[in-house]
Amino acid sequence: AKDVEPKAKQLYAKAIAAQQAGELKAARDSFRAAWKVQRHYKIAANLGSVENELGEYRQAAVHLDEAIALYKRDAKQDGGVDKSKLDALQQIRKEATRHVASFSALASFDGQVVPDGELLVDGESLGKLELGRVYYLLPGERTVSVRATGVASSPQVVMAAENVAGQFDIALWADGPGRQPARGAEEPTSLGLALGITAAAVAVPAVI
């Protein structure tokens, strides 16, 4: 498997030293800097582990998802998966996802799936909305919306709970004058109980 590149290795080594010294915030910052330089599963795994220890569960879950995906890709190219290593990554990810709500989402306009929508939670972009991808919410009242070129959704207010999973079916319409009013003032809906989520759609989080 491809190793950590020289440009990232110095930051990675600095982060490992801080982690071993118990300086978790310093380790997190160095791992994040290394991650910006190179998307390597070792960097993502250690970053997620440190974030988990710091109680930054949403970020930890995201980075551990990426670590697992990258490790599987590299291991496949290298001839096979080391089960003990994969189990360790999955266990850390399981610990992080116990503290967050997880969901997938589908956005549509006029009956057609919108493939290039941007997902926002509490006004913060989580990047491109990808079919089948799992996203995470911190517990509490959260606002979820989607936007794409020429279309947008009203904010959907949900009450997220730890270790709950669900699926959003988000309807979009033409953005601009005459668009439908925002529904952000409505009572929050519990994730997993409405918004097009059925019992059959609810899945256990942190399953590969």
Side-chain angles (χ1 to χ4, degrees), residues 20-84:
Q20 292 174 343
E23 299 170 358
L24 297 183
K25 290 185 178 179
R28 175 201 60 195
D29 293 344
S30 293
F31 280 131
R32 285 180 178 174
W35 180 244
K36 288 181 180 179
V37 175
Q38 184 188 6
R39 298 298 178 101
H40 192 285
Y41 82 86
K42 288 183 181 179
I43 299 173
N46 283 281
L47 173 55
S49 177
V50 167
E51 288 171 332
N52 185 53
E53 289 186 67
L54 288 169
E56 297 172 354
Y57 300 118
R58 186 174 72 83
Q59 297 95 319
V62 170
H63 287 127
L64 289 161
D65 274 352
E66 296 194 74
I68 290 169
L70 288 169
Y71 175 68
K72 285 183 171 181
R73 183 200 67 186
D74 288 355
K76 185 177 181 181
Q77 294 173 351
D78 210 34
V81 170
D82 181 331
K83 188 175 183 302
S84 63

